[in-house]
């Protein structure tokens, strides 16, 4: 990104210093390149923010599903404890029945805990919400990357006409730049 911008500025500076400082068309091209570079910088910042958001949600998804798996394991162990206690010869004793009841309540709370909000049911809902947010951030990141690539191409195209005098390339660069800016704007509004 910075290499393309640097080459464009060098080309424009070389032309201005060596081929007439008063050429208004070359100055307009320099302004176009500067505007494209500013749009590229803003798009890059937005792309980095979207990438950071993606990574944050990705870690949250991983944590939520890991916590879900841990809860599932604990619920399974508690179910096994309950069944083992129920199979004992003295399972009818009040102390054993109390432990069976406690194990059953614990296993149920591991699976669904509307009060504490940390049961498997709540964790899976939270993880799915985080997955949606992660996927949206990933989509925005790629949108910004495509817009940044188009802006880089526009900067290179805009610098070529200073040397070649093919003014149609300037218009093409401006057109690509506008389209890339609109694409980045639509990603931001999405």
């Amino acid at each position: 990104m910075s290499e393309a911008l640097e080459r464009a500025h060098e080309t424009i500076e070389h032309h201005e210093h060596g081929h007439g400082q008063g050429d208004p068309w070359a100055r307009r091209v320099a302004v176009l390149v500067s505007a494209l570079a500013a749009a590229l910088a803003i798009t890059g910042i937005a792309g980095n923010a979207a990438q950071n958001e993606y990574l944050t949600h990705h870690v949250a998804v991983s944590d939520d599903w890991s916590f879900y798996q841990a809860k599932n394991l604990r619920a399974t162990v508690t179910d096994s404890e309950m069944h083992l206690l129920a199979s004992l010869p003295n399972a009818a004793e009040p102390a054993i029945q109390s432990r069976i009841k406690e194990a059953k309540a614990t296993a149920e709370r591991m699976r669904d805990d509307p009060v504490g909000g940390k049961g498997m049911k709540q964790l899976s809902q939270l993880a799915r919400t985080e997955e949606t947010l992660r996927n949206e951030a990933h989509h925005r990141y790629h949108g910004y990357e495509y817009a940044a690539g188009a802006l880089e191409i526009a900067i290179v195209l805009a610098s070529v006409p200073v040397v070649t005098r093919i003014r149609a390339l300037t218009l093409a660069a401006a057109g690509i730049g506008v389209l890339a800016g609109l694409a980045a704007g639509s990603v931001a509004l999405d």
Side-chain angles (χ1 to χ4, degrees):
M1 171 166 59
S2 63
E3 285 181 31
L5 182 60
E6 191 175 306
R7 272 188 261 134
H9 280 296
E10 286 174 5
T11 302
I12 291 168
E13 285 176 15
H14 173 71
H15 179 74
E16 285 182 355
H17 291 298
H19 297 87
Q21 298 171 353
D23 187 358
W25 178 76
R27 289 176 192 230
R28 287 187 194 113
V29 171
V31 169
L32 173 63
V33 168
S34 297
L36 292 170
L40 176 60
I42 292 168
T43 302
I45 291 168
N48 287 339
Q51 183 180 34
N52 288 339
E53 185 180 352
Y54 165 78
L55 292 171
T56 299
H57 289 299
H58 185 69
V59 169
V61 166
S62 179
D63 288 349
D64 291 340
W65 284 121
S66 293
F67 199 20
Y68 176 92
Q69 289 175 333
K71 287 279 183 167
N72 187 35
L73 182 61
R74 287 179 62 198
T76 301
V77 168
T78 306
D79 278 341
S80 296
E81 176 188 356
M82 181 182 63
H83 293 299
L84 181 64
L85 289 170
S87 69
L88 292 175
N90 58 347
E93 291 180 11
I96 301 293
Q97 284 298 312
S98 173
R99 288 181 60 193
I100 290 172
K101 187 184 259 187
E102 183 181 313
K104 183 177 180 180
T106 299
E108 288 173 359
R109 191 177 66 251
M110 294 288 160
R111 289 189 175 89
D112 187 8
D113 186 9
V115 175
K118 295 294 182 183
M120 290 169 53
K121 180 179 177 182
Q122 291 76 26
L123 288 169
S124 72
Q125 290 170 346
L126 183 61
R128 285 188 179 95
T129 300
E130 287 290 336
E131 285 174 341
T132 300
L133 294 172
R134 176 199 63 192
N135 294 343
E136 289 170 359
H138 194 248
H139 175 72
R140 280 193 310 280
Y141 169 68
H142 282 293
Y144 286 127
E145 285 293 304
Y146 292 133
L151 286 166
E152 288 176 5
I153 290 168
I155 289 170
V156 171
L157 273 179
S159 66
V160 171
V162 173
V163 175
T164 64
R165 294 291 192 198
I166 302 173
R167 293 183 183 216
L169 289 176
T170 305
L171 294 174
I176 291 171
V178 167
L179 291 175
L182 290 173
S186 74
V187 170
L189 296 175
D190 205 12

